[in-house]
Amino acid sequence: DRFSLDTGVHADYYHSEHVPHINYHITPVMTARLHLFQALSWYVTYHPRLKIPDFTDLYIRKLYISVNPDLRSEKQQHYVELGFKQRFGEAFALNVGAFYHDSKNFIFQIDTDADNILEYQHMESVDFLGVRANLQMNYRERLVQNITYTYTTHHIFSEQRISSLGDDFRNEILPYQPNHQVQASLAWKLPFGLTVDVDGLYVSEQYRNRSKDQAPIGRRFFVNVELTQRITETIQIFLAGRNLTDVSTYDIIPWLDSEEITSS
């Protein structure tokens, strides 16, 4: 009851019909847990893998084949997470962990020419390092709260580009990669079958290009609320309000007639 070890093997296979790319990755999956006390446990997870684009991504990226015909799967190497989980009574649980992984052929989106057309490109190697903290509360299934904070930083490495661009390259960043992100939700069951569900999302400042001086996207905070009323055991009605903070959102529709969408 003090120590547990979960192990296995994870196999990924990627094949592209139109370009000569075949990639596979057979890696171990391991999670070790050490239960120091009844309510405190430490864990370490090791899980490298391929990140294979799903069907939607593959279909959309086909439209950009003239921009980058060399797209292939991303290899997420040396994924390690170390943390602890602490329970406080029956209602509260805190999980704090640090993670690191090195991604080869990292796939990212960029609006290089500021023409509202996204391009998919590869970065030779990117190191990601971050911290994730999660606090959960469940009070007798009537008041359920969940909040997660994630901080992520990255370091771009490429011998070829460093030699050609020098110190300017070291100051580059990845587009659409926020450093701070907070997700929170609260569900409250009231008498007479009424439920209130509130969720929010905070995303820190991002950038459309590799330079912070070009077209930044400011920090955003979204709030959604949903009221659900149970009429009978099989019938319920709901009223939902989206983006109640009236935040302008930025998106690029990745089609050939691409355009920038800014709405609230």
Side-chain angles (χ1 to χ4, degrees):
D1 295 331
R2 291 291 182 180
F3 178 78
S4 61
L5 178 65
D6 299 331
T7 63
V9 176
H10 190 101
D12 287 316
Y13 175 79
Y14 174 85
H15 168 68
S16 178
E17 294 184 3
H18 300 289
V19 287
H21 289 310
I22 297 177
N23 202 353
Y24 63 90
H25 210 193
I26 301 177
T27 60
V29 183
M30 296 182 293
T31 298
R33 301 181 188 277
L34 178 62
H35 304 273
L36 298 179
F37 305 102
Q38 184 177 3
L40 174 64
S41 62
W42 289 85
Y43 68 90
V44 57
T45 297
Y46 179 70
H47 185 197
R49 57 194 178 274
L50 289 183
K51 293 188 65 177
I52 301 173
D54 59 24
F55 176 82
T56 303
D57 285 338
L58 290 174
Y59 180 75
I60 292 175
R61 290 170 188 178
K62 187 176 180 180
L63 300 175
Y64 298 90
I65 200 71
S66 61
V67 177
N68 183 9
D70 198 36
L71 287 175
R72 53 198 179 277
S73 62
E74 175 185 334
K75 183 178 292 186
Q76 196 172 83
Q77 299 187 129
H78 311 303
Y79 183 93
V80 180
E81 184 171 350
L82 172 66
F84 70 90
K85 184 173 183 178
Q86 172 72 56
R87 294 195 63 87
F88 302 95
E90 296 295 329
F92 289 90
L94 175 66
N95 197 131
V96 179
F99 59 88
Y100 166 83
H101 64 88
D102 172 20
S103 291
K104 301 294 185 183
N105 299 319
F106 178 77
I107 299 176
F108 66 99
Q109 297 176 325
I110 187 171
D111 184 11
T112 305
D113 300 322
D115 55 1
N116 299 327
I117 296 180
L118 283 178
E119 301 173 12
Y120 288 85
Q121 296 185 11
H122 275 123
M123 190 66 70
E124 181 180 331
S125 179
V126 184
D127 291 343
F128 289 90
L129 181 65
V131 177
R132 185 182 297 108
N134 173 258
L135 177 64
Q136 299 180 18
M137 179 189 68
N138 189 333
Y139 180 72
R140 298 181 179 180
E141 301 293 337
R142 302 199 65 84
L143 184 62
V144 180
Q145 175 267 336
N146 190 4
I147 182 169
T148 302
Y149 166 75
T150 305
Y151 171 78
T152 307
T153 184
H154 64 267
H155 170 71
I156 303 172
F157 178 79
S158 173
E159 294 181 355
Q160 180 180 1
R161 297 197 64 191
I162 286 179
S163 61
S164 61
L165 298 178
D167 292 335
D168 292 338
F169 176 76
R170 293 183 174 86
N171 297 325
E172 285 193 332
I173 58 175
L174 286 176
Y176 307 105
Q177 298 289 322
N179 291 122
H180 305 275
Q181 184 167 309
V182 180
Q183 294 176 292
S185 65
L186 177 66
W188 188 16
K189 287 187 177 180
L190 298 173
F192 309 108
L194 178 63
T195 301
V196 180
D197 195 342
V198 182
D199 67 86
L201 172 65
Y202 168 81
V203 180
S204 64
E205 191 173 35
Q206 303 172 67
Y207 302 91
R208 295 182 176 94
N209 288 284
R210 296 193 184 101
S211 171
K212 292 185 177 181
D213 299 329
Q214 299 182 18
I217 304 172
R219 60 182 66 91
R220 297 166 293 164
F221 180 57
F222 302 94
V223 173
N224 305 315
V225 176
E226 184 171 303
L227 305 177
T228 303
Q229 176 66 58
R230 190 181 71 238
I231 307 300
T232 68
E233 291 296 327
T234 57
I235 298 176
Q236 64 182 18
I237 59 175
F238 72 91
L239 174 66
R242 305 298 182 193
N243 193 16
L244 298 185
T245 47
D246 194 27
V247 176
S248 296
T249 62
Y250 168 84
D251 194 10
I252 291 181
I253 306 302
W255 304 105
L256 292 180
D257 56 348
S258 179
E259 59 179 335
E260 178 178 335
I261 304 298
T262 305
S263 62
S264 60

